[in-house]
């Protein structure tokens, strides 16, 4: 079946522009995560959704970062007034588990969006 | 919060030899430890995982061991092949009925020398 998809795959923005990154999780997956991966580093957690509820946004680096998942499926990560330090690959992951799950389910990652801020 | 350290950062082994990558974690409550393989420009893919109620898990040429007392876990790849060349990430999380945000190590670039 279809895996996690993300669009666009590449995005170049001028400093100060707003960008929107889209994630389509695996159908039926309750949990959705956003991670930021800087060059040569491991992914770092940004935010977590359980269905449409954003239950953890502790990893968002500033109030310029905003994420939503209004219908509990597709999610959008928005970055306002982009800065050079925002340049990274933004990964989305989904898993089947959610509230009431008794064990950890595998997180399946999308291919990422590579954001370059000039 | 959780902190995961991973060593070595780069590793080169002759084809057919074994490779070992080690990780330590800080939060003794963490109970799930996945390993991901990431090829250049590709998405991270799960290759094996282990939960805190077991000490070792094997899947063909890949094995993972967990020492809860010492808070470290290791990935073992035997009979390495050129297609094993990639960056490997360990991760840890506390299974918490859904919010299983992963804390990743910094990665190991594994190169298999033909």
């Amino acid at each position: 079946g279809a895996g996690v998809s993300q669009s666009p795959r590449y995005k170049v923005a001028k400093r100060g522009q707003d960008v929107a990154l889209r994630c389509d999780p695996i159908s039926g997956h309750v949990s959705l995560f956003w991670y930021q991966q800087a060059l040569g580093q491991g992914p770092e957690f940004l935010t977590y959704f359980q269905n449409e509820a954003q239950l953890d946004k502790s990893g968002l680096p500033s109030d310029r970062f905003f994420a939503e998942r209004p219908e509990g499926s597709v999610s959008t990560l928005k970055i306002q007034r982009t800065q050079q330090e925002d340049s990274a690959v933004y990964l989305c992951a989904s898993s089947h588990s959610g509230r009431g799950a008794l064990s950890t389910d595998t997180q399946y990652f999308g291919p990422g969006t590579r954001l370059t801020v000039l | 919060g959780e902190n995961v350290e991973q060593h070595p950062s780069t590793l080169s082994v002759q084809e057919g030899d074994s490779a070992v990558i080690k990780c330590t974690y800080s939060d003794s409550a963490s109970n799930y430890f996945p390993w991901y393989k990431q090829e250049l420009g590709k998405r991270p893919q799960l290759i094996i995982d282990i939960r805190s109620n077991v000490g070792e898990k094997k899947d063909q040429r890949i094995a993972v061991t967990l020492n809860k007392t010492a808070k470290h876990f290791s990935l073992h790849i035997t009979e390495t092949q050129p297609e094993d060349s990639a960056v490997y990430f360990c991760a840890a999380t506390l299974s918490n009925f859904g919010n299983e945000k992963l804390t990743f190590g910094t990665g190991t670039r594994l190169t298999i020398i033909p």
Side-chain angles (χ1 to χ4, degrees):
Chain A
V4 179
S5 61
Q6 293 185 245
S7 61
R9 291 294 315 280
Y10 304 91
K11 177 69 179 178
V12 178
K14 292 183 179 178
R15 189 163 56 94
Q17 283 185 331
D18 298 348
V19 298
L21 313 180
R22 177 186 170 109
C23 172
D24 285 79
I26 294 172
S27 178
H29 276 194
V30 170
S31 296
L32 186 146
F33 304 82
W34 283 98
Y35 294 87
Q36 180 190 61
Q37 186 173 26
L39 190 63
Q41 299 295 314
E44 292 193 356
F45 171 78
L46 294 176
T47 189
Y48 162 68
F49 289 86
Q50 192 173 88
N51 295 306
E52 69 280 0
Q54 187 176 21
L55 300 185
D56 187 345
K57 51 183 180 180
S58 62
L60 296 178
S62 76
D63 58 8
R64 297 186 295 104
F65 287 70
F66 171 78
E68 60 183 4
R69 194 186 184 196
E71 298 179 357
S73 178
V74 172
S75 177
T76 304
L77 176 67
K78 297 179 180 178
I79 309 173
Q80 296 177 322
R81 305 181 302 282
T82 52
Q83 304 295 315
Q84 285 189 321
E85 61 262 29
D86 300 334
S87 295
V89 174
Y90 291 85
L91 293 165
C92 174
S94 70
S95 73
H96 186 266
S97 65
R99 185 175 294 120
L102 297 180
S103 64
T104 309
D105 271 347
T106 299
Q107 288 187 30
Y108 296 90
F109 282 82
T113 295
R114 181 177 296 278
L115 173 65
T116 302
V117 181
L118 303 176
Chain B
E2 177 64 277
N3 182 54
V4 176
E5 294 190 357
Q6 182 171 350
H7 301 280
S9 57
T10 61
L11 179 61
S12 295
V13 301
Q14 208 70 35
E15 182 179 354
D17 288 350
S18 296
V20 180
I21 302 171
K22 300 182 179 182
C23 290
T24 60
Y25 61 99
S26 61
D27 189 347
S28 57
S30 290
N31 59 7
Y32 175 65
F33 308 91
W35 285 87
Y36 283 84
K37 175 183 180 181
Q38 189 175 31
E39 297 178 49
L40 189 62
K42 301 286 184 64
R43 71 188 74 199
Q45 292 198 305
L46 180 78
I47 56 171
I48 196 167
D49 56 13
I50 191 167
R51 303 180 194 282
S52 59
N53 58 346
V54 298
E56 183 175 3
K57 182 177 178 180
K58 293 184 71 172
D59 183 3
Q60 299 184 335
R61 298 186 297 108
I62 295 174
V64 57
T65 59
L66 171 65
N67 182 327
K68 286 189 295 182
T69 303
K71 290 189 287 187
H72 67 69
F73 56 114
S74 300
L75 177 71
H76 304 252
I77 306 174
T78 59
E79 300 171 19
T80 52
Q81 301 169 2
E83 53 265 36
D84 294 330
S85 294
V87 178
Y88 291 80
F89 292 98
C90 61
T93 190
L94 171 62
S95 178
N96 189 27
F97 291 84
N99 188 2
E100 294 130 0
K101 59 185 177 184
L102 296 171
T103 300
F104 285 86
T106 50
T108 297
R109 180 174 299 279
L110 175 63
T111 302
I112 307 303
I113 305 166

